Amino acid sequence: MYRSLIFIPFPIDLFSKLLLGIGCVLMVCFPFYTSAQTFTGTGGLIPDNGTVVDFPLNVSGLTPGTLDNSFGLLTVCMNITHTWDADLDVQLVSPGGMAILLFSGVGGSGDDFLNTCLDMSAPNPIGSAGAPFTGSFRPMGMLGNFNNGSNGNGVWKLRITDTYPADQGNLLDWSISFGANPPQPFPFTDSDLPLIVITTNGQTILNDPRIVCDMGIIDNGPGNRNALTDMYNNYNGRIAIEIRGSSSQSFPKKSYAFETQNLSGANLNVPLLGMPAENDWILYAPYTDKTMMRDALAYRLGRDLGAYAPRYAFAELFINGQYMGVYCLEEKIKRDNNRVNIATLTTTDTTGNELTGGYILKIDRTDGPGSYFTSAYPGNFGNINFVYSDPEGHELHPLQKNYIETTIDHFEDVLAGPQFMHPQNGYRKLIHVPSFIDYFLVNELSNNVDGFRLSTFLYKNKNSIDSLIHMGPLWDYNLGFGNADYCSGASTSGWSYIHSGNCGDVPFWWDRFMQDSTFVRELRCRYEELRQTFFSASYLNGFIDSVAQVLNESKDRNYLAWPILGTYVWPNPFVGNTYQQEIVYMKSWINSRLNWMDANIPGACPNLGLAEHSSALYLALFPNPANTQITFAFSSSTVITDLFIYDRLGKLLKQQQFSGSQLTLSVEDLSPGIYFVQWNSGSNQGVQKFVISR
């Protein structure tokens, strides 16, 4: 039963202390913080030259000082005057050095951030809003990661970078607030994917120059979990890293290029995540491609078709303790025995055969004077530039630049000339036609809006090894397979080389090739061959499903960190509310695209009498599909026969005489595809089909 309360006057200070004591008893001395604690900082000039500027704010007397799941960082607010908001990259950096992205590349050409607050409980993400962003929005990074038991007292920094040199701006002021019921750290324990952990030691990763920092990779093997507390067992050492990409640099989820180094700063070749040892790598950030697999699909097709294309491995990335999402570790395109396998070119190789290779070029945006040469045949809107990729322009001797430019000029002159179709004097003596056909078909299957005009590689070896110009490797397909809402990129009809030409500068080559009946026939035969193998719906859907299974767990964490499902991200023509809807859309788009190509691929593939037929003598072929070798086994133990292997065009590739019942042949020198074996043994003759797949 309650006793009556008797009021006894106390001095105000004593009464306050008593109430505080009673409160502490009733709360069992739990911390009492119902209102936010806000700290305000000043601003200053935001330069437009890519300089990273830190605006400090000193937090002292924060009670309690430890940021955790009961008391922590709540909001960050700011006032910024700046034109073209998309130029700005803004991060919050804690006293302990953790950097969390608030926003990057938002607002397009709009101006200013006025009374803009970043709050994890806000209903709308900042990426879906417009300038001047007045009000509260969800940031792009996870503010809850600050509330991890770290100390909130100390110097916080608002880190701002104007990524494009055109206009300055000003930070007028900014503030941070702490209080109860804060957002929680990102819920990560372990993963079925490898983990890549980068620590920048207080530095910011820039577009240029590269910074030297530390990287570790945890990969406990298939079927095993990977946790941040595990030992680095795939790599543990130094890297030099920078932001990479062109339009993708505006995305908040950045892609990176890095090289592995030893302690002295020299390149260090290492095998990362099962790929051959090298030192140059790409950390590709799937963002606009919400399936996260369009690059992987194109590269797999490139290797299936028998050429080199970058190997890759999916992983989850952490930078300075911040979860960055699912990334694709890819091989950078360069000269290497396990990549583009051409001869090494040094600056002293300036005469004779040594001058003739190897060179890797790309049709792309230039890197400034000295990095490229220009075609004598302009595109629809301007010049077509060939960028020196490997070696780069500054690494080449003037005689080497002159040689490769003259080589390309000669090819283009012959192709543009009146005898371009001549079997001996035309373009065929200068280029590796099958590589051009395969490049064409993958770009057309994907309807890649960047294909033919950007990220388009070609290479040339030394003449003593191979004097022909080759197309490839394939690169950059995140806007392919129906993922672009411009230049007819979402359409399943129409030829990409024509659409891309309406969108940018495509070399005249492809129009000219299509005037050559021999090229068109070979194109048609190769397409029909691929439709039975790597361009079949079952093969493509099977690959897509296999990658979706690999990403089945990690995709959920990725889209918790980057909540863009159901949201338009440039240049999505389709916006699925779920990951599965994105997968279904891509499968459906590819199927429709193939149906259109079936009905519209030009030319005719002749029947050269190689249709399969058998005789009384039975021949078994295994394995079929084959990889590097195939065995022919006859039903009789005493067979004397000739074996002939033809391609789809009826060209004789191999001939072998033998007696016995079984023969194993190497087919390492044959590209993946469909082939026919014909045998003649007395009155017994037959033709059978086999497939090479790698």
Side-chain angles (χ1 to χ4, degrees):
M1 107 180 252
Y2 293 98
R3 296 180 183 272
S4 300
L5 294 178
I6 300 174
F7 180 76
I8 301 175
F10 287 93
I12 291 178
D13 288 346
L14 180 60
F15 186 67
S16 299
K17 292 178 181 179
L18 180 60
L19 286 179
L20 180 60
I22 294 172
C24 193
V25 171
L26 293 176
M27 299 172 61
V28 199
C29 292
F30 286 159
F32 187 73
Y33 33 81
T34 57
S35 59
Q37 301 176 50
T38 300
F39 300 82
T40 301
T42 57
L45 179 69
I46 303 171
D48 68 345
N49 58 1
T51 302
V52 179
V53 183
D54 287 338
F55 297 94
L57 188 162
N58 186 48
V59 172
S60 61
L62 182 66
T63 305
T66 300
L67 307 182
D68 54 28
N69 59 6
S70 57
F71 179 87
L73 180 73
L74 295 178
T75 60
V76 186
C77 298
M78 66 198 70
N79 284 288
I80 296 175
T81 57
H82 191 282
T83 57
W84 207 284
D85 286 349
D87 293 351
L88 294 184
D89 180 287
V90 180
Q91 304 174 50
L92 180 64
V93 184
S94 71
M98 179 182 289
I100 302 295
L101 178 68
L102 300 179
F103 55 83
S104 178
V106 300
S109 60
D111 301 341
D112 303 335
F113 295 83
L114 301 179
N115 296 319
T116 304
C117 291
L118 290 310
D119 182 344
M120 294 301 295
S121 64
N124 298 314
I126 192 167
S128 65
F133 297 96
T134 301
S136 293
F137 306 95
R138 286 200 309 275
M140 290 178 167
M142 303 289 290
L143 286 183
N145 286 347
F146 288 123
N147 303 322
N148 61 355
S150 60
N151 186 0
N153 287 299
V155 178
W156 291 74
K157 301 171 185 175
L158 194 67
R159 178 167 291 166
I160 303 179
T161 309
D162 186 333
T163 61
Y164 192 82
D167 45 6
Q168 294 181 334
N170 284 276
L171 172 67
L172 304 181
D173 55 60
W174 69 289
S175 64
I176 49 178
S177 296
F178 304 85
N181 301 314
Q184 303 303 296
F186 186 84
F188 182 87
T189 54
D190 53 27
S191 174
D192 59 349
L193 290 184
L195 306 179
I196 300 176
V197 182
I198 295 174
T199 305
T200 66
N201 305 310
Q203 306 170 89
T204 298
I205 302 176
L206 307 171
N207 177 43
D208 187 61
R210 294 186 175 190
I211 64 166
V212 177
C213 57
D214 301 311
M215 183 179 78
I217 299 180
I218 301 164
D219 180 17
N220 293 321
N224 296 309
R225 307 293 298 177
N226 302 293
L228 289 172
T229 53
D230 293 340
M231 297 288 291
Y232 297 145
N233 53 16
N234 185 258
Y235 182 76
N236 184 12
R238 292 175 51 163
I239 61 170
I241 189 171
E242 65 184 351
I243 298 172
R244 71 164 306 276
S246 183
S247 59
S248 63
Q249 288 205 23
S250 66
F251 299 147
K253 187 180 180 185
K254 307 297 185 187
S255 292
Y256 304 98
F258 70 89
E259 63 182 20
T260 47
Q261 298 183 339
N262 62 21
L263 293 179
S264 65
N267 290 343
L268 178 65
N269 290 340
V270 291
L272 299 184
L273 297 180
M275 292 177 274
E278 238 290 342
N279 60 78
D280 278 310
W281 305 88
I282 302 297
L283 269 172
Y284 162 60
Y287 190 72
T288 184
D289 171 17
K290 295 171 187 171
T291 71
M292 299 189 283
M293 68 174 73
R294 284 176 165 88
D295 265 10
L297 174 57
Y299 301 158
R300 174 60 180 267
L301 287 173
R303 290 193 299 279
D304 286 337
L305 271 57
Y308 166 76
R311 302 172 186 89
Y312 60 86
F314 289 101
E316 293 186 86
L317 176 67
F318 290 80
I319 298 181
N320 296 327
Q322 181 179 354
Y323 179 79
M324 305 301 294
V326 172
Y327 274 68
C328 193
L329 178 66
E330 301 176 350
E331 294 177 321
K332 178 184 177 181
I333 292 177
K334 64 180 296 187
R335 196 230 70 80
D336 184 88
N337 290 348
N338 292 305
R339 296 189 184 179
V340 182
N341 188 12
I342 56 176
T344 300
L345 184 73
T346 68
T347 54
T348 60
D349 294 330
T350 57
T351 60
N353 178 65
E354 298 306 308
L355 174 64
T356 62
Y359 299 88
I360 303 177
L361 304 173
K362 63 176 177 177
I363 300 171
D364 210 337
R365 300 179 179 94
T366 72
D367 296 322
S371 68
Y372 67 97
F373 64 90
T374 300
S375 170
Y377 298 86
N380 293 1
F381 305 102
N383 291 329
I384 294 172
N385 298 315
F386 295 90
V387 178
Y388 306 112
S389 180
D390 189 15
E392 295 182 356
H394 68 275
E395 300 171 308
L396 289 169
H397 189 281
L399 290 174
Q400 294 168 336
K401 289 184 175 181
N402 179 71
Y403 170 80
I404 191 61
E405 180 176 354
T406 301
T407 299
I408 298 297
D409 285 349
H410 179 54
F411 156 61
E412 292 195 317
D413 288 342
V414 171
L415 185 62
Q419 287 192 304
F420 77 102
M421 289 187 289
H422 193 281
Q424 281 79 45
N425 301 324
Y427 69 88
R428 287 178 170 272
K429 68 177 182 179
L430 303 174
I431 69 170
H432 182 253
V433 174
S435 69
F436 280 72
I437 287 175
D438 284 353
Y439 178 86
F440 179 91
L441 288 173
V442 174
N443 271 282
E444 289 299 342
L445 168 62
S446 61
N447 195 10
N448 182 15
V449 295
D450 283 347
F452 304 108
R453 65 189 188 91
L454 296 170
S455 299
T456 297
F457 284 83
L458 56 156
Y459 63 89
K460 184 189 178 299
N461 211 335
K462 289 192 188 303
N463 283 350
S464 59
I465 304 171
D466 180 357
S467 64
L468 302 178
I469 300 167
H470 290 244
M471 281 300 299
L474 302 175
W475 185 250
D476 193 10
Y477 283 78
N478 64 318
L479 300 184
F481 302 104
N483 194 36
D485 60 5
Y486 64 96
C487 291
S488 302
S491 176
T492 57
S493 63
W495 294 111
S496 179
Y497 77 94
I498 297 174
H499 291 158
S500 294
N502 293 334
C503 192
D505 294 309
V506 171
F508 74 95
W509 312 344
W510 310 100
D511 279 318
R512 196 67 162 160
F513 291 149
M514 300 303 279
Q515 298 172 31
D516 178 6
S517 59
T518 302
F519 183 94
V520 170
R521 183 180 72 249
E522 293 174 349
L523 177 73
R524 177 62 178 259
C525 289
R526 180 61 162 161
Y527 177 74
E528 290 182 2
E529 172 185 317
L530 294 176
R531 281 295 275 137
Q532 299 181 56
T533 53
F534 306 118
F535 280 19
S536 68
S538 61
Y539 181 83
L540 294 168
N541 288 341
F543 177 80
I544 292 168
D545 289 340
S546 70
V547 177
Q549 183 59 40
V550 169
L551 301 178
N552 184 53
E553 174 191 320
S554 57
K555 74 179 189 307
D556 295 330
R557 286 189 291 269
N558 181 83
Y559 289 118
L560 180 61
W562 305 103
I564 57 175
L565 288 176
T567 301
Y568 173 82
V569 175
W570 179 90
N572 295 157
F574 170 82
V575 178
N577 292 317
T578 66
Y579 183 76
Q580 184 58 32
Q581 288 179 3
E582 293 285 348
I583 295 294
V584 169
Y585 165 76
M586 184 168 68
K587 284 183 176 180
S588 175
W589 187 94
I590 290 173
N591 186 64
S592 296
R593 178 65 174 168
L594 286 169
N595 288 339
W596 184 86
M597 290 179 69
D598 288 345
N600 291 274
I601 192 84
C605 188
N607 183 348
L608 299 179
L610 288 176
E612 290 187 90
H613 64 274
S614 60
S615 68
L617 187 65
Y618 175 74
L619 173 66
L621 294 78
F622 58 89
N624 191 10
N627 186 338
T628 59
Q629 61 182 27
I630 187 168
T631 297
F632 305 99
F634 287 92
S635 56
S636 172
S637 60
T638 56
V639 174
I640 300 175
T641 186
D642 290 308
L643 288 180
F644 305 91
I645 294 178
Y646 298 88
D647 64 14
R648 277 288 305 273
L649 294 174
K651 180 181 179 181
L652 178 63
L653 304 175
K654 289 179 181 290
Q655 180 177 352
Q656 182 75 41
Q657 257 190 351
F658 82 102
S659 62
S661 63
Q662 186 168 301
L663 173 69
T664 298
L665 282 181
S666 171
V667 290
E668 284 187 289
D669 56 330
L670 300 182
S671 300
I674 295 175
Y675 297 88
F676 294 89
V677 57
Q678 181 181 35
W679 72 92
N680 301 299
S681 179
S683 61
N684 291 292
Q685 295 181 340
V687 176
Q688 284 184 242
K689 180 172 65 179
F690 67 95
V691 175
I692 297 177
S693 174
R694 297 189 183 99

